[in-house]
Amino acid sequence: DPDRYEDIDRKQERVALWLARLNYDGLLLRQPCNFSWFSSGALCPRDLSGEPSVALFVTPEARVVIADNVDSGQLFDRQLCGMGFQLKQRAWHAGRVGLLDDLCRGRNVAADLPLAGTTAETADIATLRLPLTALECERLRKLSGLAAHAVEATARHVEAGQTESEIVGQ
């Protein structure tokens, strides 16, 4: 999807300007909301404990996905194919912390969650998501239309005196 690729490129440019302004070398994103935002809608897989199993490391020149060998194939095949991401992979049984430490070592790195060797910039990173990109606005308009249609349809059924079980059964 060329629109999605362009959206990710714009976000990387936004991050690069932010990194330069605050004198950081890279940005480590581990929160699912930030992963989805930067990847323009990809879902962040979780491990058995419910923790995110994927992270993003963004520099002005690169966007790197940090994942285990179980999640990486499906993630790239279904959600990140052709979107310009590189992969730093680890064995499923190896901890992610070692790989994250290796990426951050010797660099001035901002992070959305506290991690040794990085600077937590949670609030500032949230501001990177605004203003919305053109693709995000388009998706929001579509979603708003669907939500309005669902509310109108439900209201019509309620007006007609249908019960909840009749509405659900349709």
Side-chain angles (χ1 to χ4, degrees):
D1 179 2
D3 292 338
R4 186 168 166 229
Y5 185 89
E6 184 178 317
D7 190 62
I8 295 168
D9 270 353
R10 298 293 79 75
K11 290 172 183 173
Q12 187 168 4
E13 289 171 5
R14 188 182 292 181
V15 167
L17 290 171
W18 182 83
L19 291 170
R21 185 169 47 85
L22 297 177
N23 199 31
Y24 284 113
D25 301 317
L27 173 62
L28 180 62
L29 300 173
R30 298 182 334 178
Q31 290 183 338
C33 62
N34 290 327
F35 178 88
S36 292
W37 165 73
F38 189 86
S39 64
S40 193
L43 297 176
C44 183
R46 295 182 179 271
D47 63 21
L48 294 175
S49 70
E51 291 295 313
S53 61
V54 174
L56 289 175
F57 186 75
V58 183
T59 70
E61 303 82 26
R63 42 189 184 242
V64 181
V65 174
I66 298 102
D68 64 37
N69 59 342
V70 173
D71 292 321
S72 63
Q74 179 177 332
L75 186 64
F76 273 81
D77 289 348
R78 295 185 181 173
Q79 300 187 55
L80 298 176
C81 183
M83 295 294 128
F85 288 93
Q86 299 171 24
L87 174 64
K88 291 286 184 186
Q89 185 173 266
R90 68 187 188 286
W92 66 270
H93 55 81
R96 178 171 47 162
V97 175
L99 188 54
L100 294 177
D101 287 343
D102 289 346
L103 275 172
C104 297
R105 188 174 301 115
R107 295 181 174 162
N108 189 17
V109 176
D112 61 353
L113 292 173
L115 180 73
T118 67
T119 304
E121 295 278 6
T122 307
D124 227 22
I125 291 168
T127 65
L128 287 172
R129 297 194 305 251
L130 297 173
L132 297 179
T133 64
L135 182 62
E136 290 168 334
C137 289
E138 178 185 327
R139 288 175 173 174
L140 193 54
R141 279 191 288 281
K142 286 180 183 178
L143 180 61
S144 298
L146 290 170
H149 176 73
V151 169
E152 290 170 1
T154 302
R156 279 194 298 278
H157 288 298
V158 170
E159 266 183 26
Q162 288 183 306
T163 65
E164 182 182 344
S165 60
E166 291 172 328
I167 293 170
V168 172
Q170 293 183 356

